[in-house]
PDB file of all heavy atoms in Angstrom:
ATOM      1  N   GLY A 128     -13.098   6.140  16.790  1.00  0.00           N
ATOM      2  CA  GLY A 128     -13.591   7.254  15.965  1.00  0.00           C
ATOM      3  C   GLY A 128     -14.611   8.130  16.685  1.00  0.00           C
ATOM      4  O   GLY A 128     -15.095   7.883  17.742  1.00  0.00           O
ATOM      5  N   PRO A 129     -14.796   9.250  16.087  1.00  0.00           N
ATOM      6  CA  PRO A 129     -15.637  10.346  16.747  1.00  0.00           C
ATOM      7  C   PRO A 129     -17.057   9.881  17.079  1.00  0.00           C
ATOM      8  O   PRO A 129     -17.645  10.200  18.146  1.00  0.00           O
ATOM      9  CB  PRO A 129     -15.568  11.499  15.886  1.00  0.00           C
ATOM     10  CG  PRO A 129     -15.078  11.064  14.639  1.00  0.00           C
ATOM     11  CD  PRO A 129     -14.163   9.877  14.890  1.00  0.00           C
ATOM     12  N   HIS A 130     -17.725   9.062  16.162  1.00  0.00           N
ATOM     13  CA  HIS A 130     -19.007   8.701  16.331  1.00  0.00           C
ATOM     14  C   HIS A 130     -19.040   7.604  17.383  1.00  0.00           C
ATOM     15  O   HIS A 130     -19.986   7.516  18.266  1.00  0.00           O
ATOM     16  CB  HIS A 130     -19.727   8.183  15.108  1.00  0.00           C
ATOM     17  CG  HIS A 130     -19.969   9.338  14.137  1.00  0.00           C
ATOM     18  ND1 HIS A 130     -20.852  10.326  14.452  1.00  0.00           N
ATOM     19  CD2 HIS A 130     -19.583   9.434  12.826  1.00  0.00           C
ATOM     20  CE1 HIS A 130     -20.963  11.089  13.481  1.00  0.00           C
ATOM     21  NE2 HIS A 130     -20.236  10.634  12.473  1.00  0.00           N
ATOM     22  N   LEU A 131     -18.140   6.736  17.437  1.00  0.00           N
ATOM     23  CA  LEU A 131     -17.973   5.692  18.428  1.00  0.00           C
ATOM     24  C   LEU A 131     -17.786   6.407  19.834  1.00  0.00           C
ATOM     25  O   LEU A 131     -18.452   5.946  20.771  1.00  0.00           O
ATOM     26  CB  LEU A 131     -16.869   4.642  18.192  1.00  0.00           C
ATOM     27  CG  LEU A 131     -16.869   3.466  19.129  1.00  0.00           C
ATOM     28  CD1 LEU A 131     -16.425   2.209  18.356  1.00  0.00           C
ATOM     29  CD2 LEU A 131     -15.953   3.740  20.230  1.00  0.00           C
ATOM     30  N   LEU A 132     -16.899   7.332  19.895  1.00  0.00           N
ATOM     31  CA  LEU A 132     -16.723   8.021  21.164  1.00  0.00           C
ATOM     32  C   LEU A 132     -17.915   8.670  21.691  1.00  0.00           C
ATOM     33  O   LEU A 132     -18.218   8.780  22.868  1.00  0.00           O
ATOM     34  CB  LEU A 132     -15.605   8.983  20.963  1.00  0.00           C
ATOM     35  CG  LEU A 132     -14.124   8.526  20.864  1.00  0.00           C
ATOM     36  CD1 LEU A 132     -13.119   9.565  20.471  1.00  0.00           C
ATOM     37  CD2 LEU A 132     -13.740   7.810  22.221  1.00  0.00           C
ATOM     38  N   ARG A 133     -18.776   9.313  20.747  1.00  0.00           N
ATOM     39  CA  ARG A 133     -20.022   9.898  21.136  1.00  0.00           C
ATOM     40  C   ARG A 133     -20.987   8.899  21.743  1.00  0.00           C
ATOM     41  O   ARG A 133     -21.529   9.186  22.742  1.00  0.00           O
ATOM     42  CB  ARG A 133     -20.759  10.545  19.888  1.00  0.00           C
ATOM     43  CG  ARG A 133     -22.072  11.033  20.132  1.00  0.00           C
ATOM     44  CD  ARG A 133     -22.775  11.536  18.929  1.00  0.00           C
ATOM     45  NE  ARG A 133     -22.818  10.515  17.835  1.00  0.00           N
ATOM     46  CZ  ARG A 133     -23.801   9.592  17.718  1.00  0.00           C
ATOM     47  NH1 ARG A 133     -24.840   9.714  18.548  1.00  0.00           N
ATOM     48  NH2 ARG A 133     -23.874   8.744  16.793  1.00  0.00           N
ATOM     49  N   VAL A 134     -21.042   7.687  21.123  1.00  0.00           N
ATOM     50  CA  VAL A 134     -21.932   6.648  21.832  1.00  0.00           C
ATOM     51  C   VAL A 134     -21.311   6.204  23.080  1.00  0.00           C
ATOM     52  O   VAL A 134     -22.114   6.063  24.138  1.00  0.00           O
ATOM     53  CB  VAL A 134     -21.993   5.430  20.713  1.00  0.00           C
ATOM     54  CG1 VAL A 134     -22.699   4.278  21.469  1.00  0.00           C
ATOM     55  CG2 VAL A 134     -22.796   5.959  19.423  1.00  0.00           C
ATOM     56  N   HIS A 135     -20.043   6.005  23.190  1.00  0.00           N
ATOM     57  CA  HIS A 135     -19.405   5.555  24.473  1.00  0.00           C
ATOM     58  C   HIS A 135     -19.578   6.620  25.502  1.00  0.00           C
ATOM     59  O   HIS A 135     -19.854   6.384  26.699  1.00  0.00           O
ATOM     60  CB  HIS A 135     -17.914   5.291  24.248  1.00  0.00           C
ATOM     61  CG  HIS A 135     -17.278   4.607  25.357  1.00  0.00           C
ATOM     62  ND1 HIS A 135     -17.659   3.428  25.865  1.00  0.00           N
ATOM     63  CD2 HIS A 135     -16.227   4.982  26.128  1.00  0.00           C
ATOM     64  CE1 HIS A 135     -16.878   3.057  26.874  1.00  0.00           C
ATOM     65  NE2 HIS A 135     -16.005   3.987  27.014  1.00  0.00           N
ATOM     66  N   GLU A 136     -19.414   7.862  25.161  1.00  0.00           N
ATOM     67  CA  GLU A 136     -19.536   8.850  26.160  1.00  0.00           C
ATOM     68  C   GLU A 136     -20.974   8.938  26.759  1.00  0.00           C
ATOM     69  O   GLU A 136     -21.224   9.290  27.961  1.00  0.00           O
ATOM     70  CB  GLU A 136     -19.257  10.290  25.489  1.00  0.00           C
ATOM     71  CG  GLU A 136     -19.244  11.523  26.338  1.00  0.00           C
ATOM     72  CD  GLU A 136     -18.079  11.566  27.338  1.00  0.00           C
ATOM     73  OE1 GLU A 136     -17.038  10.786  27.090  1.00  0.00           O
ATOM     74  OE2 GLU A 136     -18.036  12.430  28.329  1.00  0.00           O
ATOM     75  N   PHE A 137     -22.008   8.708  25.878  1.00  0.00           N
ATOM     76  CA  PHE A 137     -23.330   8.742  26.357  1.00  0.00           C
ATOM     77  C   PHE A 137     -23.602   7.571  27.387  1.00  0.00           C
ATOM     78  O   PHE A 137     -24.171   7.751  28.426  1.00  0.00           O
ATOM     79  CB  PHE A 137     -24.239   8.409  25.216  1.00  0.00           C
ATOM     80  CG  PHE A 137     -25.773   8.494  25.581  1.00  0.00           C
ATOM     81  CD1 PHE A 137     -26.470   9.608  25.652  1.00  0.00           C
ATOM     82  CD2 PHE A 137     -26.384   7.364  25.808  1.00  0.00           C
ATOM     83  CE1 PHE A 137     -27.887   9.714  25.951  1.00  0.00           C
ATOM     84  CE2 PHE A 137     -27.758   7.284  26.251  1.00  0.00           C
ATOM     85  CZ  PHE A 137     -28.458   8.517  26.289  1.00  0.00           C
ATOM     86  N   ALA A 138     -23.013   6.522  27.161  1.00  0.00           N
ATOM     87  CA  ALA A 138     -23.047   5.327  28.085  1.00  0.00           C
ATOM     88  C   ALA A 138     -22.426   5.712  29.376  1.00  0.00           C
ATOM     89  O   ALA A 138     -22.889   5.411  30.449  1.00  0.00           O
ATOM     90  CB  ALA A 138     -22.465   4.067  27.470  1.00  0.00           C
ATOM     91  N   LEU A 139     -21.202   6.265  29.363  1.00  0.00           N
ATOM     92  CA  LEU A 139     -20.542   6.651  30.535  1.00  0.00           C
ATOM     93  C   LEU A 139     -21.386   7.735  31.390  1.00  0.00           C
ATOM     94  O   LEU A 139     -21.374   7.596  32.543  1.00  0.00           O
ATOM     95  CB  LEU A 139     -19.118   7.279  30.231  1.00  0.00           C
ATOM     96  CG  LEU A 139     -18.103   6.212  29.689  1.00  0.00           C
ATOM     97  CD1 LEU A 139     -16.888   7.017  29.136  1.00  0.00           C
ATOM     98  CD2 LEU A 139     -17.612   5.248  30.734  1.00  0.00           C
ATOM     99  N   ALA A 140     -21.844   8.691  30.490  1.00  0.00           N
ATOM    100  CA  ALA A 140     -22.579   9.710  31.298  1.00  0.00           C
ATOM    101  C   ALA A 140     -23.813   9.200  31.900  1.00  0.00           C
ATOM    102  O   ALA A 140     -24.368   9.874  32.879  1.00  0.00           O
ATOM    103  CB  ALA A 140     -22.894  10.856  30.272  1.00  0.00           C
ATOM    104  N   ALA A 141     -24.448   8.158  31.393  1.00  0.00           N
ATOM    105  CA  ALA A 141     -25.622   7.647  32.032  1.00  0.00           C
ATOM    106  C   ALA A 141     -25.405   7.245  33.569  1.00  0.00           C
ATOM    107  O   ALA A 141     -26.316   7.233  34.360  1.00  0.00           O
ATOM    108  CB  ALA A 141     -26.191   6.403  31.226  1.00  0.00           C
ATOM    109  N   PHE A 142     -24.167   6.892  33.886  1.00  0.00           N
ATOM    110  CA  PHE A 142     -23.804   6.484  35.223  1.00  0.00           C
ATOM    111  C   PHE A 142     -23.150   7.633  36.098  1.00  0.00           C
ATOM    112  O   PHE A 142     -22.949   7.388  37.209  1.00  0.00           O
ATOM    113  CB  PHE A 142     -22.678   5.294  35.139  1.00  0.00           C
ATOM    114  CG  PHE A 142     -23.308   3.995  34.713  1.00  0.00           C
ATOM    115  CD1 PHE A 142     -23.008   3.504  33.551  1.00  0.00           C
ATOM    116  CD2 PHE A 142     -24.194   3.287  35.625  1.00  0.00           C
ATOM    117  CE1 PHE A 142     -23.448   2.170  33.191  1.00  0.00           C
ATOM    118  CE2 PHE A 142     -24.713   2.014  35.278  1.00  0.00           C
ATOM    119  CZ  PHE A 142     -24.300   1.455  34.019  1.00  0.00           C
ATOM    120  N   ASP A 143     -23.001   8.773  35.474  1.00  0.00           N
ATOM    121  CA  ASP A 143     -22.106   9.747  36.003  1.00  0.00           C
ATOM    122  C   ASP A 143     -22.671  10.352  37.259  1.00  0.00           C
ATOM    123  O   ASP A 143     -21.958  10.878  38.107  1.00  0.00           O
ATOM    124  CB  ASP A 143     -21.779  10.838  34.977  1.00  0.00           C
ATOM    125  CG  ASP A 143     -20.730  11.693  35.404  1.00  0.00           C
ATOM    126  OD1 ASP A 143     -19.782  11.281  36.018  1.00  0.00           O
ATOM    127  OD2 ASP A 143     -20.764  12.945  35.215  1.00  0.00           O
ATOM    128  N   ARG A 144     -23.963  10.389  37.466  1.00  0.00           N
ATOM    129  CA  ARG A 144     -24.580  10.952  38.640  1.00  0.00           C
ATOM    130  C   ARG A 144     -24.989  10.024  39.721  1.00  0.00           C
ATOM    131  O   ARG A 144     -25.740  10.316  40.600  1.00  0.00           O
ATOM    132  CB  ARG A 144     -25.891  11.801  38.256  1.00  0.00           C
ATOM    133  CG  ARG A 144     -25.574  12.916  37.158  1.00  0.00           C
ATOM    134  CD  ARG A 144     -26.847  13.497  36.752  1.00  0.00           C
ATOM    135  NE  ARG A 144     -26.739  14.532  35.827  1.00  0.00           N
ATOM    136  CZ  ARG A 144     -27.635  15.282  35.130  1.00  0.00           C
ATOM    137  NH1 ARG A 144     -28.862  15.087  35.536  1.00  0.00           N
ATOM    138  NH2 ARG A 144     -27.400  16.156  34.194  1.00  0.00           N
ATOM    139  N   MET A 145     -24.397   8.885  39.604  1.00  0.00           N
ATOM    140  CA  MET A 145     -24.743   7.734  40.464  1.00  0.00           C
ATOM    141  C   MET A 145     -23.950   7.540  41.841  1.00  0.00           C
ATOM    142  O   MET A 145     -24.071   6.746  42.551  1.00  0.00           O
ATOM    143  CB  MET A 145     -24.980   6.390  39.875  1.00  0.00           C
ATOM    144  CG  MET A 145     -26.010   6.397  38.782  1.00  0.00           C
ATOM    145  SD  MET A 145     -25.985   4.862  37.784  1.00  0.00           S
ATOM    146  CE  MET A 145     -26.557   3.760  39.006  1.00  0.00           C
ATOM    147  N   GLY A 146     -22.901   8.389  41.812  1.00  0.00           N
ATOM    148  CA  GLY A 146     -21.950   8.448  42.998  1.00  0.00           C
ATOM    149  C   GLY A 146     -20.997   7.315  42.857  1.00  0.00           C
ATOM    150  O   GLY A 146     -20.482   6.836  43.944  1.00  0.00           O
ATOM    151  N   LEU A 147     -20.569   6.890  41.729  1.00  0.00           N
ATOM    152  CA  LEU A 147     -19.688   5.769  41.480  1.00  0.00           C
ATOM    153  C   LEU A 147     -18.321   6.399  40.978  1.00  0.00           C
ATOM    154  O   LEU A 147     -18.272   7.476  40.453  1.00  0.00           O
ATOM    155  CB  LEU A 147     -20.127   4.865  40.353  1.00  0.00           C
ATOM    156  CG  LEU A 147     -21.551   4.232  40.670  1.00  0.00           C
ATOM    157  CD1 LEU A 147     -21.891   3.388  39.402  1.00  0.00           C
ATOM    158  CD2 LEU A 147     -21.398   3.322  41.866  1.00  0.00           C
ATOM    159  N   ASP A 148     -17.274   5.744  41.249  1.00  0.00           N
ATOM    160  CA  ASP A 148     -15.910   6.159  40.751  1.00  0.00           C
ATOM    161  C   ASP A 148     -15.785   5.658  39.308  1.00  0.00           C
ATOM    162  O   ASP A 148     -16.588   4.882  38.843  1.00  0.00           O
ATOM    163  CB  ASP A 148     -14.720   5.644  41.598  1.00  0.00           C
ATOM    164  CG  ASP A 148     -14.516   4.089  41.673  1.00  0.00           C
ATOM    165  OD1 ASP A 148     -14.856   3.544  40.609  1.00  0.00           O
ATOM    166  OD2 ASP A 148     -14.123   3.686  42.734  1.00  0.00           O
ATOM    167  N   ILE A 149     -14.825   6.284  38.692  1.00  0.00           N
ATOM    168  CA  ILE A 149     -14.679   6.009  37.163  1.00  0.00           C
ATOM    169  C   ILE A 149     -14.411   4.563  36.800  1.00  0.00           C
ATOM    170  O   ILE A 149     -14.749   4.123  35.779  1.00  0.00           O
ATOM    171  CB  ILE A 149     -13.665   7.077  36.614  1.00  0.00           C
ATOM    172  CG1 ILE A 149     -13.689   7.039  35.061  1.00  0.00           C
ATOM    173  CG2 ILE A 149     -12.307   6.664  37.005  1.00  0.00           C
ATOM    174  CD1 ILE A 149     -15.107   7.533  34.581  1.00  0.00           C
ATOM    175  N   ASP A 150     -13.667   3.872  37.790  1.00  0.00           N
ATOM    176  CA  ASP A 150     -13.504   2.476  37.546  1.00  0.00           C
ATOM    177  C   ASP A 150     -14.733   1.660  37.617  1.00  0.00           C
ATOM    178  O   ASP A 150     -14.926   0.832  36.672  1.00  0.00           O
ATOM    179  CB  ASP A 150     -12.569   1.896  38.592  1.00  0.00           C
ATOM    180  CG  ASP A 150     -11.097   2.353  38.350  1.00  0.00           C
ATOM    181  OD1 ASP A 150     -10.622   2.625  37.302  1.00  0.00           O
ATOM    182  OD2 ASP A 150     -10.290   2.568  39.437  1.00  0.00           O
ATOM    183  N   ASP A 151     -15.563   1.917  38.418  1.00  0.00           N
ATOM    184  CA  ASP A 151     -16.933   1.228  38.538  1.00  0.00           C
ATOM    185  C   ASP A 151     -17.742   1.638  37.212  1.00  0.00           C
ATOM    186  O   ASP A 151     -18.431   0.747  36.650  1.00  0.00           O
ATOM    187  CB  ASP A 151     -17.661   1.528  39.709  1.00  0.00           C
ATOM    188  CG  ASP A 151     -17.056   1.047  40.969  1.00  0.00           C
ATOM    189  OD1 ASP A 151     -16.372  -0.023  40.851  1.00  0.00           O
ATOM    190  OD2 ASP A 151     -17.151   1.545  42.050  1.00  0.00           O
ATOM    191  N   ILE A 152     -17.811   2.865  36.877  1.00  0.00           N
ATOM    192  CA  ILE A 152     -18.496   3.380  35.752  1.00  0.00           C
ATOM    193  C   ILE A 152     -18.033   2.540  34.518  1.00  0.00           C
ATOM    194  O   ILE A 152     -18.810   2.090  33.706  1.00  0.00           O
ATOM    195  CB  ILE A 152     -18.472   4.819  35.575  1.00  0.00           C
ATOM    196  CG1 ILE A 152     -19.130   5.525  36.698  1.00  0.00           C
ATOM    197  CG2 ILE A 152     -18.874   5.332  34.180  1.00  0.00           C
ATOM    198  CD1 ILE A 152     -19.026   7.069  36.668  1.00  0.00           C
ATOM    199  N   THR A 153     -16.686   2.621  34.228  1.00  0.00           N
ATOM    200  CA  THR A 153     -16.128   1.941  32.912  1.00  0.00           C
ATOM    201  C   THR A 153     -16.451   0.454  33.043  1.00  0.00           C
ATOM    202  O   THR A 153     -16.601  -0.148  32.046  1.00  0.00           O
ATOM    203  CB  THR A 153     -14.732   2.324  32.894  1.00  0.00           C
ATOM    204  OG1 THR A 153     -13.966   1.876  34.022  1.00  0.00           O
ATOM    205  CG2 THR A 153     -14.453   3.719  32.513  1.00  0.00           C
TER     206      THR A 153
END
Side-chain angles (χ1 to χ4, degrees):
H130 288 303
L131 188 146
L132 285 171
R133 172 184 60 86
V134 171
H135 189 60
E136 185 75 9
F137 182 87
L139 293 169
F142 287 110
D143 193 38
R144 299 178 185 177
M145 296 176 68
L147 301 171
D148 65 32
I149 194 63
D150 289 327
D151 292 329
I152 291 173
T153 55

